[in-house]
Amino acid sequence: MINDADDTITNPTANQPFGEVVRRRFSRRSVLTGGAAGAAAYVLAGIPTAAGAVEVPVSGETAPTPTLTFKPIATNTTDAVTVPTGYTAQPIAPWGDPIIPGGPAFKTDASNSAAEQAEQLGMGHDGVQFFPLGENRDSSSEGLLAINHEYTTNNLLFPDGDANWTAEKTQKEQNAHGVGIVSIARSADGWAIVDSGQARRITPNTPMQFTGRAVGHPLLRTATDPTGTTPTGTVNNCGNGTTPWGTLLTTEENFNGYFWEETEGEAEGIDQRQATNNERMGVGGQGFGYQWATTDEQWRADLHPTRPNTFGWIVEIDPYNPSSTPKKHTSLGRFKHEAAVVAESSRGEAVVYMGDDQRFDYVYKFVSTNPWRDDVAAGRSPLEDGTLYVATFNDDGTGRWTPLVWMESGLTPANGWDSPGDVLVRAREAADQVGATPMDRPEWIAILPGGQVYIACTNNTRREEANAANPRIDNTFGHIVHIDEMSASFGAPAFTWDHFVLAGSGDGTDGSTVEAEDMFGSPDGLWADADGRIWIQTDGRQPDGSNNQMLAADPSTGELRRFLVGPADCEVTGAAKTPDGTTMFISIQHPGDDGTPEEPTLTSTWPDRDPTSRPRPACVAITRDDGGVVG
Ligand code: FEO
Ligand code: CA
Ligand code: CA
Ligand code: CA
């Protein structure tokens, strides 16, 4: 999502327990401190999985020592994807292409119908994952590409933009949201969409299922789902992740932007608890200006006050089974989910790290009740039952995970909490109550074996009071926090932390801990590959005014190199590799989208280079010309 959409503040609490700016925790070379201890001994061992080749970092193992072999590139403002010498960047799976070859073709004047859009890739490419196909699901030349379609830009989606709104336009815009799953294969000509019978679109209208401790809670009951068990659809899917049992996790971020609440919570039937909940989640007014509420009453929060509660979840999708019903796992809590990255604890539990991307919101993790292999063997998702925690970062470099569990930590009826489900639906308010640390917009999270966790805090230009973990007021360029889960278990209740890097110009004026040649701003996408490289992607203003970019870091040495610069006015996001590491997939979101809805200005012709067409978000397949591992 274009940076500003996540920028408002809905946290009314004063959870700033560490008001003093503590600068001793970082230094110019503090990028060196992240995960450096013991890093030299790290060796990655993949775990055998039900699905085949999908691996997650495991507690007790040690991270590998990566090598950065590419020649770093300079920043630029060109309208192209720039990669190092010896690499090729191929656009693939743009908005509007049919999900099956021979499906409805993209029309360059944006006149495709809603029905056609339902059989095409959506817009706003964000998180991307590669699920290998082949006999053992370990192929690096054929697989499923799962793409989040976070949001739409209506001056591109329609010939006449937001004007002359109709139910057909609502339907088309909804069909351009959600998730796209396509089969792709690599030939001598590069990667292309093929037909393996597994392509699928998931939209704001796809039937889903709730699991977990909030199922059936009154706050989840709606007019179309009176039992609170079978919600409809997913929206504003931002970051994503994979599980070791071979499924996709997609996140629901700025769902509030789609709801209208014309009477500010005063409608009949809305109680004060729900009104406060909607306010805390930013539901109100006419959202971000989407017009769905004008033709589809389900997006009227004043008429359907609990319907926003059916969004803000982590959704699990089996990409290998196109007829499977996606599951919304309530036990992972409801907030503006950005990241969903899975690790394995020393006891074999699934641990999911999650950021809540809003100014002054929090970092969470979920720990499954059972070892994940036991749940999978019993036919359950390990994400159905477990404990949600929220992070507090102390100013001495320690931290704690506080369980958000009913009847603990003051989450009691006396304080207005009626049940376990209530705590999960209103997880933000529960986190407010237990004293979680308000962060500078936590976005993606990267993890490495041995309990190493890296959290992108993209920026926060409205921070007026620093805390140790968020040490800069008016934090224009953001930073990356590093957590070391003590005892090297991802399931640990306490941790130590430091700053992996403070982003910025590197010129000594802004407190950044980078060299000038590696300058960057607004880290958003963050992903650790199997060799231990940390990939950093940006969404926002860069210190020198250049285009958004992607860098690679070696956490064992602190080395940082710029790998990619995106086209004009895009965001670089999403990261995945084939099992052999020779293709990396990323997303280019909103290329050329430099305007406002009122005054759109299109500054890009990427990727089609067709003056009669329009810029299109797309994925990019990056390969090395000598066939080696990307990085
Ligand atoms: Fe969807 Fe916070 O970016
Ligand atoms: Ca985004
Ligand atoms: Ca962002
Ligand atoms: Ca993001």
Side-chain angles (χ1 to χ4, degrees):
M1 174 70 74
I2 290 183
N3 219 312
D4 291 352
D6 309 320
D7 273 3
T8 50
I9 301 166
T10 65
N11 185 347
T13 69
N15 281 1
Q16 308 232 359
F18 318 112
E20 189 187 342
V21 182
V22 178
R23 297 195 177 275
R24 68 177 178 276
R25 295 293 306 172
F26 62 89
S27 67
R28 177 157 176 81
R29 297 306 303 173
S30 74
V31 68
L32 282 166
T33 64
Y42 286 179
V43 177
L44 180 71
I47 50 173
T49 71
V54 183
E55 297 175 356
V56 299
V58 178
S59 296
E61 294 182 352
T62 48
T65 303
T67 50
L68 302 180
T69 59
F70 65 90
K71 188 167 180 290
I73 62 172
T75 62
N76 67 57
T77 55
T78 61
D79 184 29
V81 174
T82 310
V83 289
T85 305
Y87 282 85
T88 298
Q90 179 206 353
I92 182 175
W95 158 57
D97 271 16
I99 59 171
I100 298 169
F106 175 68
K107 294 179 179 166
T108 58
D109 64 356
S111 64
N112 286 110
S113 67
E116 288 170 333
Q117 177 64 76
E119 297 178 51
Q120 298 170 330
L121 285 153
M123 218 179 209
H125 291 41
D126 205 319
V128 57
Q129 299 293 339
F130 181 81
F131 292 90
L133 291 172
E135 202 174 331
N136 301 311
R137 288 190 182 170
D138 61 356
S139 174
S140 289
S141 58
E142 53 175 331
L144 303 171
L145 204 60
I147 306 160
N148 277 350
H149 301 298
E150 188 188 33
Y151 80 110
T152 55
T153 307
N154 284 355
N155 58 301
L156 298 176
L157 185 63
F158 301 106
D160 58 350
D162 278 313
N164 309 306
W165 201 260
T166 60
E168 161 79 8
K169 290 184 100 166
T170 294
Q171 191 63 54
K172 181 177 180 183
E173 191 172 19
Q174 291 176 344
N175 289 346
H177 278 73
V179 177
I181 298 174
V182 290
S183 297
I184 58 171
R186 186 178 184 179
S187 69
D189 298 330
W191 288 91
I193 293 176
V194 297
D195 184 6
S196 72
Q198 286 154 298
R200 181 178 190 185
R201 282 299 321 282
I202 290 159
T203 74
N205 296 303
T206 301
M208 308 219 164
Q209 190 183 359
F210 274 132
T211 81
R213 299 180 183 182
V215 172
H217 191 280
L219 286 172
L220 295 185
R221 298 176 194 162
T222 61
T224 53
D225 176 24
T227 62
T229 55
T230 54
T232 300
T234 187
V235 77
N236 209 255
N237 305 90
C238 188
N240 63 7
T242 57
T243 68
W245 52 96
T247 60
L248 171 73
L249 302 181
T250 186
T251 68
E252 299 181 330
E253 192 191 10
N254 289 300
F255 63 87
N256 59 308
Y258 302 84
F259 284 96
W260 286 19
E261 190 181 57
E262 304 219 301
T263 54
E264 287 295 323
E266 288 159 12
E268 188 183 350
I270 188 163
D271 64 13
Q272 187 52 48
R273 177 177 60 167
Q274 181 55 29
T276 303
N277 175 15
N278 279 346
E279 206 170 313
R280 184 67 178 83
M281 301 306 292
V283 175
Q286 297 190 341
F288 295 167
Y290 290 96
Q291 299 183 72
W292 303 0
T294 66
T295 68
D296 182 350
E297 183 191 290
Q298 296 305 311
W299 300 92
R300 286 277 300 274
D302 46 350
L303 302 179
H304 300 280
T306 56
R307 176 123 146 114
N309 297 342
T310 68
F311 297 96
W313 301 105
I314 295 291
V315 186
E316 184 177 18
I317 297 166
D318 179 356
Y320 292 106
N321 179 359
S323 61
S324 59
T325 302
K327 291 177 177 172
K328 294 197 169 191
H329 293 303
T330 67
S331 294
L332 279 70
R334 174 172 167 265
F335 39 94
K336 294 191 183 179
H337 281 283
E338 175 93 16
V341 57
V342 183
E344 180 179 322
S345 77
S346 55
R347 291 180 295 278
E349 300 137 333
V351 182
V352 189
Y353 289 89
M354 303 174 284
D356 181 352
D357 179 12
Q358 190 142 21
R359 287 171 165 158
F360 306 110
D361 267 289
Y362 308 126
V363 175
Y364 299 79
K365 78 173 176 184
F366 164 89
V367 182
S368 65
T369 299
N370 302 317
W372 68 261
R373 289 176 185 80
D374 293 357
D375 278 331
V376 170
R380 288 186 298 268
S381 170
L383 307 184
E384 292 182 17
D385 195 67
T387 304
L388 180 66
Y389 298 83
V390 69
T392 299
F393 295 82
N394 298 321
D395 67 350
D396 62 357
T398 65
R400 71 169 192 273
W401 293 105
T402 304
L404 298 179
V405 172
W406 191 57
M407 300 304 285
E408 291 182 26
S409 307
L411 301 170
T412 59
N415 290 322
W417 300 95
D418 72 17
S419 63
D422 190 18
V423 171
L424 295 167
V425 174
R426 300 189 293 133
R428 275 186 167 183
E429 292 167 75
D432 293 344
Q433 186 172 321
V434 304
T437 301
M439 306 295 286
D440 289 345
R441 303 182 53 202
E443 301 227 39
W444 289 64
I445 295 173
I447 54 178
L448 284 171
Q452 307 303 310
V453 181
Y454 302 82
I455 303 158
C457 294
T458 193
N459 56 51
N460 184 351
T461 52
R462 287 205 243 154
R463 181 172 286 284
E464 295 171 350
E465 190 183 351
N467 58 41
N470 302 276
R472 290 184 289 184
I473 59 169
D474 191 17
N475 183 8
T476 305
F477 294 124
H479 58 275
I480 299 174
V481 174
H482 163 246
I483 282 179
D484 187 350
E485 295 276 37
M486 289 164 64
S487 313
S489 176
F490 287 104
F495 57 86
T496 60
W497 67 269
D498 56 18
H499 287 113
F500 182 54
V501 62
L502 302 181
S505 65
D507 67 2
T509 64
D510 53 18
S512 53
T513 59
V514 295
E515 304 292 345
E517 64 182 5
D518 306 321
M519 69 94 222
F520 69 97
S522 297
D524 182 338
L526 200 65
W527 179 66
D529 69 20
D531 299 319
R533 299 175 195 86
I534 304 276
W535 297 87
I536 303 168
Q537 301 168 316
T538 69
D539 169 24
R541 187 156 74 84
Q542 299 308 295
D544 68 351
S546 58
N547 294 353
N548 276 297
Q549 55 178 308
M550 178 166 78
L551 307 96
D554 174 351
S556 68
T557 62
E559 186 180 7
L560 197 56
R561 293 188 190 183
R562 183 175 301 103
F563 180 81
L564 177 148
V565 178
D569 297 305
C570 78
E571 166 184 344
V572 180
T573 182
K577 279 185 175 180
T578 51
D580 67 3
T582 62
T583 300
M584 183 170 186
F585 298 98
I586 64 155
S587 291
I588 295 295
Q589 194 185 61
H590 61 73
D593 186 9
D594 188 35
T596 63
E598 297 74 36
E599 210 167 334
T601 54
L602 301 181
T603 55
S604 175
T605 61
W606 191 88
D608 296 338
R609 307 303 191 200
D610 174 356
T612 70
S613 187
R614 44 198 67 216
R616 292 199 278 171
C619 294
V620 180
I622 302 162
T623 50
R624 225 167 93 173
D625 299 343
D626 67 2
V629 170
V630 174

